[in-house]
Amino acid sequence: MEPIQAIVFEQFFCLEELQRLQDEFAAATGVASIITNPDGSPITRPSRFCRLCVDIIRKTPLGLANCCKSDARIGRLRLDGPTVQLCESGGLWDAGAGIAVNGQHLANWLIGQVRDEQHSEAQIREYAKRIGADEAEVVQAFFEIPAMSKERFDHIAQLLFTLSSQLSDTAAKKLLQNQLLAAKEVAEENETRFKALHNASFGGISIHDKGVILDCNHGLATMTGFSVEELVGIDGLLLIAERSRELVMNNILSGYEKPYEAFGLRKNGEEF
């Protein structure tokens, strides 16, 4: 299969439908959720993002930078399961799973903003000082976040990995469908071109790859004395007289497209 070039996430999914799936997932599980590019920049709108993260931490330059860096790390592509770790910004539990097609990392599905019994007021106060946020506001917003056991969050992260894997499979199938459709269109174009080629009654015409004849019309066969079957697959330079071969080869290699004259060579050795 040819290498994948310039593939973007939006080629494979309707973002409106995906946003609805993300919103429903967040509502059912009680976790924040967002889909981002591999660098952490958002693709979808955030679902259930807490006030602490949206209105306080991400409004400070250092807090926002830490959030983006953490998002990129959490969403790294893994095949064995989700990545679950403490956020490098607010210290809450986060998880992520990569979405890929044929090994190419397209996006991350991230969840989190979950606190459990290990998170303390002292920790969040210290982080508020570090990023320059108002301590009292940070603490108040911190306790607005519903608590969840780490075990339950791990189960939700595994569900996330399953859904992300299904999205990866969907993208791979759509890519294959697109490739098959493109190949069919090329084949139909070639068939039309070859039919026109064979039906052409004016002069000799050939399709070649660096001089090797891939197809030709009966006009070329009549001109050279070879049959069409004999001409397909031979080096076209054999149809060029010795004195013109260097000129023709240079024009082929350079992609020269303007008309020019050269001496041909028929099957019986005659020049024309």
Side-chain angles (χ1 to χ4, degrees), residues 97-138:
I99 301 171
V101 55
N102 293 358
Q104 181 169 332
H105 193 178
L106 296 182
N108 304 321
W109 191 343
L110 310 178
I111 62 172
Q113 299 177 11
V114 168
R115 67 181 179 93
D116 63 9
E117 64 278 358
Q118 79 165 337
H119 295 103
S120 68
E121 179 179 333
Q123 290 174 327
I124 200 66
R125 281 187 180 277
E126 180 60 32
Y127 188 65
K129 293 178 183 178
R130 199 185 322 156
I131 64 174
D134 181 86
E135 285 185 51
E137 187 179 19
V138 167

mmCIF file of all heavy atoms in Angstrom, residues 97-138:
data_model
loop_
_atom_site.group_PDB
_atom_site.id
_atom_site.type_symbol
_atom_site.label_atom_id
_atom_site.label_comp_id
_atom_site.label_asym_id
_atom_site.label_seq_id
_atom_site.Cartn_x
_atom_site.Cartn_y
_atom_site.Cartn_z
ATOM 1 N N ALA A 97 -6.636 8.059 24.685
ATOM 2 C CA ALA A 97 -6.385 6.985 23.728
ATOM 3 C C ALA A 97 -6.211 7.604 22.356
ATOM 4 O O ALA A 97 -6.934 8.540 21.991
ATOM 5 C CB ALA A 97 -7.537 5.977 23.724
ATOM 6 N N GLY A 98 -5.249 7.112 21.605
ATOM 7 C CA GLY A 98 -4.998 7.637 20.267
ATOM 8 C C GLY A 98 -5.930 7.027 19.238
ATOM 9 O O GLY A 98 -6.409 5.893 19.386
ATOM 10 N N ILE A 99 -6.195 7.786 18.189
ATOM 11 C CA ILE A 99 -6.971 7.321 17.043
ATOM 12 C C ILE A 99 -6.046 7.361 15.836
ATOM 13 O O ILE A 99 -5.415 8.383 15.564
ATOM 14 C CB ILE A 99 -8.202 8.203 16.807
ATOM 15 C CG1 ILE A 99 -9.108 8.195 18.053
ATOM 16 C CG2 ILE A 99 -8.984 7.738 15.579
ATOM 17 C CD1 ILE A 99 -10.228 9.214 17.998
ATOM 18 N N ALA A 100 -5.923 6.232 15.144
ATOM 19 C CA ALA A 100 -4.941 6.130 14.055
ATOM 20 C C ALA A 100 -5.543 5.380 12.879
ATOM 21 O O ALA A 100 -6.542 4.666 13.012
ATOM 22 C CB ALA A 100 -3.689 5.413 14.544
ATOM 23 N N VAL A 101 -4.926 5.546 11.720
ATOM 24 C CA VAL A 101 -5.294 4.762 10.544
ATOM 25 C C VAL A 101 -4.014 4.236 9.920
ATOM 26 O O VAL A 101 -3.106 5.010 9.592
ATOM 27 C CB VAL A 101 -6.127 5.581 9.529
ATOM 28 C CG1 VAL A 101 -5.417 6.852 9.119
ATOM 29 C CG2 VAL A 101 -6.458 4.749 8.291
ATOM 30 N N ASN A 102 -3.921 2.912 9.837
ATOM 31 C CA ASN A 102 -2.732 2.251 9.288
ATOM 32 C C ASN A 102 -1.443 2.758 9.926
ATOM 33 O O ASN A 102 -0.436 2.966 9.248
ATOM 34 C CB ASN A 102 -2.669 2.430 7.772
ATOM 35 C CG ASN A 102 -3.791 1.701 7.058
ATOM 36 O OD1 ASN A 102 -4.606 1.020 7.684
ATOM 37 N ND2 ASN A 102 -3.864 1.831 5.751
ATOM 38 N N GLY A 103 -1.480 2.980 11.223
ATOM 39 C CA GLY A 103 -0.291 3.396 11.945
ATOM 40 C C GLY A 103 -0.054 4.887 12.004
ATOM 41 O O GLY A 103 0.845 5.333 12.718
ATOM 42 N N GLN A 104 -0.831 5.677 11.265
ATOM 43 C CA GLN A 104 -0.652 7.131 11.289
ATOM 44 C C GLN A 104 -1.547 7.746 12.355
ATOM 45 O O GLN A 104 -2.765 7.605 12.328
ATOM 46 C CB GLN A 104 -0.981 7.749 9.932
ATOM 47 C CG GLN A 104 -0.778 9.269 9.924
ATOM 48 C CD GLN A 104 -0.846 9.853 8.533
ATOM 49 O OE1 GLN A 104 -0.537 9.185 7.564
ATOM 50 N NE2 GLN A 104 -1.255 11.104 8.423
ATOM 51 N N HIS A 105 -0.946 8.429 13.299
ATOM 52 C CA HIS A 105 -1.637 9.027 14.433
ATOM 53 C C HIS A 105 -2.456 10.216 13.950
ATOM 54 O O HIS A 105 -1.907 11.207 13.483
ATOM 55 C CB HIS A 105 -0.595 9.469 15.465
ATOM 56 C CG HIS A 105 -1.156 9.817 16.798
ATOM 57 N ND1 HIS A 105 -0.369 10.188 17.857
ATOM 58 C CD2 HIS A 105 -2.431 9.858 17.266
ATOM 59 C CE1 HIS A 105 -1.125 10.435 18.913
ATOM 60 N NE2 HIS A 105 -2.379 10.247 18.574
ATOM 61 N N LEU A 106 -3.784 10.127 14.099
ATOM 62 C CA LEU A 106 -4.672 11.181 13.608
ATOM 63 C C LEU A 106 -5.166 12.108 14.703
ATOM 64 O O LEU A 106 -5.292 13.315 14.492
ATOM 65 C CB LEU A 106 -5.891 10.567 12.915
ATOM 66 C CG LEU A 106 -5.668 9.750 11.649
ATOM 67 C CD1 LEU A 106 -7.007 9.288 11.112
ATOM 68 C CD2 LEU A 106 -4.928 10.560 10.599
ATOM 69 N N ALA A 107 -5.487 11.539 15.868
ATOM 70 C CA ALA A 107 -6.125 12.342 16.913
ATOM 71 C C ALA A 107 -6.023 11.633 18.253
ATOM 72 O O ALA A 107 -5.636 10.466 18.333
ATOM 73 C CB ALA A 107 -7.590 12.597 16.562
ATOM 74 N N ASN A 108 -6.389 12.359 19.320
ATOM 75 C CA ASN A 108 -6.464 11.808 20.672
ATOM 76 C C ASN A 108 -7.860 12.038 21.219
ATOM 77 O O ASN A 108 -8.420 13.116 21.058
ATOM 78 C CB ASN A 108 -5.464 12.506 21.605
ATOM 79 C CG ASN A 108 -4.042 12.428 21.086
ATOM 80 O OD1 ASN A 108 -3.632 11.413 20.548
ATOM 81 N ND2 ASN A 108 -3.292 13.501 21.256
ATOM 82 N N TRP A 109 -8.395 11.031 21.884
ATOM 83 C CA TRP A 109 -9.625 11.223 22.648
ATOM 84 C C TRP A 109 -9.215 11.253 24.111
ATOM 85 O O TRP A 109 -8.685 10.271 24.638
ATOM 86 C CB TRP A 109 -10.620 10.100 22.375
ATOM 87 C CG TRP A 109 -11.996 10.407 22.930
ATOM 88 C CD1 TRP A 109 -12.328 11.341 23.863
ATOM 89 C CD2 TRP A 109 -13.229 9.774 22.556
ATOM 90 N NE1 TRP A 109 -13.675 11.345 24.108
ATOM 91 C CE2 TRP A 109 -14.261 10.391 23.319
ATOM 92 C CE3 TRP A 109 -13.560 8.760 21.667
ATOM 93 C CZ2 TRP A 109 -15.589 10.006 23.215
ATOM 94 C CZ3 TRP A 109 -14.888 8.386 21.567
ATOM 95 C CH2 TRP A 109 -15.889 9.002 22.324
ATOM 96 N N LEU A 110 -9.459 12.384 24.765
ATOM 97 C CA LEU A 110 -9.005 12.603 26.129
ATOM 98 C C LEU A 110 -10.190 12.727 27.070
ATOM 99 O O LEU A 110 -11.215 13.323 26.718
ATOM 100 C CB LEU A 110 -8.167 13.881 26.207
ATOM 101 C CG LEU A 110 -7.037 14.021 25.177
ATOM 102 C CD1 LEU A 110 -6.337 15.362 25.357
ATOM 103 C CD2 LEU A 110 -6.051 12.874 25.289
ATOM 104 N N ILE A 111 -10.041 12.172 28.267
ATOM 105 C CA ILE A 111 -11.054 12.315 29.307
ATOM 106 C C ILE A 111 -10.356 12.643 30.625
ATOM 107 O O ILE A 111 -9.142 12.515 30.741
ATOM 108 C CB ILE A 111 -11.895 11.033 29.488
ATOM 109 C CG1 ILE A 111 -10.994 9.871 29.929
ATOM 110 C CG2 ILE A 111 -12.647 10.697 28.211
ATOM 111 C CD1 ILE A 111 -11.771 8.616 30.319
ATOM 112 N N GLY A 112 -11.131 13.067 31.614
ATOM 113 C CA GLY A 112 -10.510 13.292 32.908
ATOM 114 C C GLY A 112 -11.144 14.373 33.735
ATOM 115 O O GLY A 112 -12.358 14.493 33.807
ATOM 116 N N GLN A 113 -10.255 15.191 34.403
ATOM 117 C CA GLN A 113 -10.671 16.205 35.373
ATOM 118 C C GLN A 113 -11.428 15.519 36.511
ATOM 119 O O GLN A 113 -12.523 15.931 36.888
ATOM 120 C CB GLN A 113 -11.488 17.303 34.695
ATOM 121 C CG GLN A 113 -10.709 18.035 33.613
ATOM 122 C CD GLN A 113 -11.521 19.070 32.873
ATOM 123 O OE1 GLN A 113 -12.620 19.414 33.269
ATOM 124 N NE2 GLN A 113 -10.970 19.594 31.780
ATOM 125 N N VAL A 114 -10.831 14.446 37.003
ATOM 126 C CA VAL A 114 -11.415 13.635 38.061
ATOM 127 C C VAL A 114 -10.516 13.687 39.295
ATOM 128 O O VAL A 114 -9.300 13.557 39.186
ATOM 129 C CB VAL A 114 -11.579 12.169 37.592
ATOM 130 C CG1 VAL A 114 -11.909 11.255 38.767
ATOM 131 C CG2 VAL A 114 -12.638 12.084 36.505
ATOM 132 N N ARG A 115 -11.110 13.892 40.466
ATOM 133 C CA ARG A 115 -10.335 13.869 41.705
ATOM 134 C C ARG A 115 -10.758 12.682 42.566
ATOM 135 O O ARG A 115 -11.899 12.215 42.483
ATOM 136 C CB ARG A 115 -10.516 15.168 42.492
ATOM 137 C CG ARG A 115 -11.895 15.416 43.064
ATOM 138 C CD ARG A 115 -11.954 16.744 43.798
ATOM 139 N NE ARG A 115 -13.282 17.022 44.334
ATOM 140 C CZ ARG A 115 -13.682 16.704 45.571
ATOM 141 N NH1 ARG A 115 -12.824 16.091 46.395
ATOM 142 N NH2 ARG A 115 -14.899 16.992 45.981
ATOM 143 N N ASP A 116 -9.825 12.188 43.360
ATOM 144 C CA ASP A 116 -10.142 11.129 44.314
ATOM 145 C C ASP A 116 -9.571 11.507 45.673
ATOM 146 O O ASP A 116 -9.150 12.654 45.892
ATOM 147 C CB ASP A 116 -9.624 9.768 43.831
ATOM 148 C CG ASP A 116 -8.104 9.726 43.694
ATOM 149 O OD1 ASP A 116 -7.435 10.692 44.131
ATOM 150 O OD2 ASP A 116 -7.589 8.735 43.155
ATOM 151 N N GLU A 117 -9.525 10.531 46.590
ATOM 152 C CA GLU A 117 -9.140 10.842 47.959
ATOM 153 C C GLU A 117 -7.696 11.301 48.110
ATOM 154 O O GLU A 117 -7.324 11.901 49.120
ATOM 155 C CB GLU A 117 -9.388 9.625 48.868
ATOM 156 C CG GLU A 117 -8.554 8.394 48.538
ATOM 157 C CD GLU A 117 -9.136 7.570 47.399
ATOM 158 O OE1 GLU A 117 -10.211 7.930 46.884
ATOM 159 O OE2 GLU A 117 -8.492 6.574 47.011
ATOM 160 N N GLN A 118 -6.859 11.042 47.101
ATOM 161 C CA GLN A 118 -5.457 11.437 47.226
ATOM 162 C C GLN A 118 -5.225 12.926 46.938
ATOM 163 O O GLN A 118 -4.168 13.459 47.234
ATOM 164 C CB GLN A 118 -4.579 10.588 46.304
ATOM 165 C CG GLN A 118 -4.607 11.014 44.847
ATOM 166 C CD GLN A 118 -3.470 10.415 44.040
ATOM 167 O OE1 GLN A 118 -2.445 10.034 44.589
ATOM 168 N NE2 GLN A 118 -3.690 10.314 42.744
ATOM 169 N N HIS A 119 -6.200 13.579 46.320
ATOM 170 C CA HIS A 119 -6.042 14.992 46.006
ATOM 171 C C HIS A 119 -6.392 15.850 47.230
ATOM 172 O O HIS A 119 -7.449 15.667 47.832
ATOM 173 C CB HIS A 119 -6.944 15.388 44.827
ATOM 174 C CG HIS A 119 -6.573 14.713 43.549
ATOM 175 N ND1 HIS A 119 -7.285 13.653 43.034
ATOM 176 C CD2 HIS A 119 -5.559 14.933 42.686
ATOM 177 C CE1 HIS A 119 -6.734 13.259 41.903
ATOM 178 N NE2 HIS A 119 -5.679 14.020 41.670
ATOM 179 N N SER A 120 -5.519 16.770 47.560
ATOM 180 C CA SER A 120 -5.715 17.577 48.769
ATOM 181 C C SER A 120 -5.828 19.060 48.431
ATOM 182 O O SER A 120 -5.379 19.523 47.380
ATOM 183 C CB SER A 120 -4.540 17.368 49.732
ATOM 184 O OG SER A 120 -3.352 17.927 49.181
ATOM 185 N N GLU A 121 -6.409 19.793 49.377
ATOM 186 C CA GLU A 121 -6.524 21.236 49.222
ATOM 187 C C GLU A 121 -5.150 21.895 49.181
ATOM 188 O O GLU A 121 -4.928 22.860 48.436
ATOM 189 C CB GLU A 121 -7.353 21.817 50.376
ATOM 190 C CG GLU A 121 -7.519 23.329 50.307
ATOM 191 C CD GLU A 121 -8.349 23.868 51.449
ATOM 192 O OE1 GLU A 121 -9.210 23.127 51.987
ATOM 193 O OE2 GLU A 121 -8.156 25.071 51.790
ATOM 194 N N ALA A 122 -4.218 21.369 49.970
ATOM 195 C CA ALA A 122 -2.874 21.941 50.014
ATOM 196 C C ALA A 122 -2.195 21.864 48.647
ATOM 197 O O ALA A 122 -1.517 22.813 48.226
ATOM 198 C CB ALA A 122 -2.030 21.205 51.063
ATOM 199 N N GLN A 123 -2.384 20.745 47.946
ATOM 200 C CA GLN A 123 -1.767 20.574 46.627
ATOM 201 C C GLN A 123 -2.314 21.589 45.626
ATOM 202 O O GLN A 123 -1.558 22.198 44.868
ATOM 203 C CB GLN A 123 -2.021 19.155 46.113
ATOM 204 C CG GLN A 123 -1.269 18.067 46.852
ATOM 205 C CD GLN A 123 -1.688 16.677 46.389
ATOM 206 O OE1 GLN A 123 -2.843 16.454 46.030
ATOM 207 N NE2 GLN A 123 -0.753 15.743 46.418
ATOM 208 N N ILE A 124 -3.616 21.769 45.641
ATOM 209 C CA ILE A 124 -4.207 22.675 44.651
ATOM 210 C C ILE A 124 -3.890 24.121 44.981
ATOM 211 O O ILE A 124 -3.741 24.961 44.079
ATOM 212 C CB ILE A 124 -5.731 22.428 44.531
ATOM 213 C CG1 ILE A 124 -6.245 22.998 43.198
ATOM 214 C CG2 ILE A 124 -6.487 23.013 45.706
ATOM 215 C CD1 ILE A 124 -5.708 22.290 41.982
ATOM 216 N N ARG A 125 -3.752 24.449 46.276
ATOM 217 C CA ARG A 125 -3.331 25.801 46.650
ATOM 218 C C ARG A 125 -1.918 26.083 46.145
ATOM 219 O O ARG A 125 -1.631 27.171 45.626
ATOM 220 C CB ARG A 125 -3.383 25.969 48.170
ATOM 221 C CG ARG A 125 -4.756 26.226 48.747
ATOM 222 C CD ARG A 125 -4.690 26.542 50.223
ATOM 223 N NE ARG A 125 -6.015 26.778 50.771
ATOM 224 C CZ ARG A 125 -6.644 27.948 50.699
ATOM 225 N NH1 ARG A 125 -6.067 28.992 50.113
ATOM 226 N NH2 ARG A 125 -7.853 28.089 51.236
ATOM 227 N N GLU A 126 -1.043 25.110 46.296
ATOM 228 C CA GLU A 126 0.337 25.283 45.853
ATOM 229 C C GLU A 126 0.389 25.494 44.337
ATOM 230 O O GLU A 126 1.158 26.320 43.840
ATOM 231 C CB GLU A 126 1.158 24.056 46.236
ATOM 232 C CG GLU A 126 2.627 24.114 45.818
ATOM 233 C CD GLU A 126 3.372 25.293 46.424
ATOM 234 O OE1 GLU A 126 3.038 25.714 47.551
ATOM 235 O OE2 GLU A 126 4.311 25.797 45.750
ATOM 236 N N TYR A 127 -0.431 24.750 43.593
ATOM 237 C CA TYR A 127 -0.433 24.913 42.139
ATOM 238 C C TYR A 127 -0.994 26.270 41.746
ATOM 239 O O TYR A 127 -0.522 26.907 40.792
ATOM 240 C CB TYR A 127 -1.238 23.799 41.469
ATOM 241 C CG TYR A 127 -1.103 23.818 39.967
ATOM 242 C CD1 TYR A 127 0.126 23.576 39.351
ATOM 243 C CD2 TYR A 127 -2.189 24.131 39.150
ATOM 244 C CE1 TYR A 127 0.271 23.621 37.977
ATOM 245 C CE2 TYR A 127 -2.054 24.177 37.776
ATOM 246 C CZ TYR A 127 -0.814 23.922 37.196
ATOM 247 O OH TYR A 127 -0.673 23.982 35.830
ATOM 248 N N ALA A 128 -1.999 26.762 42.489
ATOM 249 C CA ALA A 128 -2.561 28.088 42.214
ATOM 250 C C ALA A 128 -1.480 29.153 42.328
ATOM 251 O O ALA A 128 -1.396 30.085 41.504
ATOM 252 C CB ALA A 128 -3.710 28.381 43.174
ATOM 253 N N LYS A 129 -0.634 29.040 43.341
ATOM 254 C CA LYS A 129 0.459 29.996 43.502
ATOM 255 C C LYS A 129 1.427 29.919 42.322
ATOM 256 O O LYS A 129 1.902 30.939 41.813
ATOM 257 C CB LYS A 129 1.221 29.705 44.801
ATOM 258 C CG LYS A 129 0.433 29.954 46.075
ATOM 259 C CD LYS A 129 1.274 29.576 47.289
ATOM 260 C CE LYS A 129 0.483 29.738 48.584
ATOM 261 N NZ LYS A 129 1.273 29.317 49.762
ATOM 262 N N ARG A 130 1.722 28.704 41.893
ATOM 263 C CA ARG A 130 2.721 28.509 40.842
ATOM 264 C C ARG A 130 2.284 29.126 39.510
ATOM 265 O O ARG A 130 3.102 29.661 38.767
ATOM 266 C CB ARG A 130 2.980 27.013 40.656
ATOM 267 C CG ARG A 130 4.303 26.709 39.949
ATOM 268 C CD ARG A 130 4.476 25.232 39.675
ATOM 269 N NE ARG A 130 3.971 24.399 40.760
ATOM 270 C CZ ARG A 130 3.589 23.140 40.601
ATOM 271 N NH1 ARG A 130 3.637 22.586 39.390
ATOM 272 N NH2 ARG A 130 3.150 22.439 41.624
ATOM 273 N N ILE A 131 0.990 29.073 39.206
ATOM 274 C CA ILE A 131 0.529 29.598 37.912
ATOM 275 C C ILE A 131 -0.023 31.021 38.034
ATOM 276 O O ILE A 131 -0.432 31.606 37.030
ATOM 277 C CB ILE A 131 -0.544 28.677 37.293
ATOM 278 C CG1 ILE A 131 -1.804 28.635 38.161
ATOM 279 C CG2 ILE A 131 0.025 27.278 37.047
ATOM 280 C CD1 ILE A 131 -2.956 27.861 37.533
ATOM 281 N N GLY A 132 -0.059 31.558 39.249
ATOM 282 C CA GLY A 132 -0.518 32.925 39.436
ATOM 283 C C GLY A 132 -2.019 33.087 39.442
ATOM 284 O O GLY A 132 -2.537 34.136 39.048
ATOM 285 N N ALA A 133 -2.750 32.061 39.909
ATOM 286 C CA ALA A 133 -4.209 32.128 39.981
ATOM 287 C C ALA A 133 -4.641 32.449 41.408
ATOM 288 O O ALA A 133 -3.890 32.255 42.360
ATOM 289 C CB ALA A 133 -4.819 30.799 39.538
ATOM 290 N N ASP A 134 -5.865 32.925 41.548
ATOM 291 C CA ASP A 134 -6.408 33.265 42.863
ATOM 292 C C ASP A 134 -6.639 31.981 43.664
ATOM 293 O O ASP A 134 -7.396 31.100 43.253
ATOM 294 C CB ASP A 134 -7.718 34.023 42.691
ATOM 295 C CG ASP A 134 -8.318 34.437 44.020
ATOM 296 O OD1 ASP A 134 -7.936 35.514 44.512
ATOM 297 O OD2 ASP A 134 -9.151 33.668 44.549
ATOM 298 N N GLU A 135 -5.991 31.875 44.841
ATOM 299 C CA GLU A 135 -6.045 30.649 45.636
ATOM 300 C C GLU A 135 -7.460 30.303 46.067
ATOM 301 O O GLU A 135 -7.904 29.144 45.956
ATOM 302 C CB GLU A 135 -5.156 30.772 46.872
ATOM 303 C CG GLU A 135 -3.670 30.658 46.589
ATOM 304 C CD GLU A 135 -2.860 30.667 47.873
ATOM 305 O OE1 GLU A 135 -3.192 29.867 48.781
ATOM 306 O OE2 GLU A 135 -1.916 31.469 47.969
ATOM 307 N N ALA A 136 -8.176 31.285 46.595
ATOM 308 C CA ALA A 136 -9.522 31.029 47.112
ATOM 309 C C ALA A 136 -10.445 30.534 46.007
ATOM 310 O O ALA A 136 -11.236 29.587 46.188
ATOM 311 C CB ALA A 136 -10.077 32.292 47.754
ATOM 312 N N GLU A 137 -10.352 31.159 44.838
ATOM 313 C CA GLU A 137 -11.196 30.749 43.713
ATOM 314 C C GLU A 137 -10.829 29.348 43.252
ATOM 315 O O GLU A 137 -11.700 28.534 42.926
ATOM 316 C CB GLU A 137 -11.054 31.746 42.559
ATOM 317 C CG GLU A 137 -12.027 31.488 41.425
ATOM 318 C CD GLU A 137 -11.893 32.488 40.297
ATOM 319 O OE1 GLU A 137 -10.832 33.155 40.198
ATOM 320 O OE2 GLU A 137 -12.850 32.604 39.507
ATOM 321 N N VAL A 138 -9.538 29.051 43.233
ATOM 322 C CA VAL A 138 -9.077 27.727 42.819
ATOM 323 C C VAL A 138 -9.609 26.662 43.768
ATOM 324 O O VAL A 138 -10.103 25.606 43.342
ATOM 325 C CB VAL A 138 -7.537 27.687 42.746
ATOM 326 C CG1 VAL A 138 -7.043 26.245 42.641
ATOM 327 C CG2 VAL A 138 -7.033 28.491 41.550
#
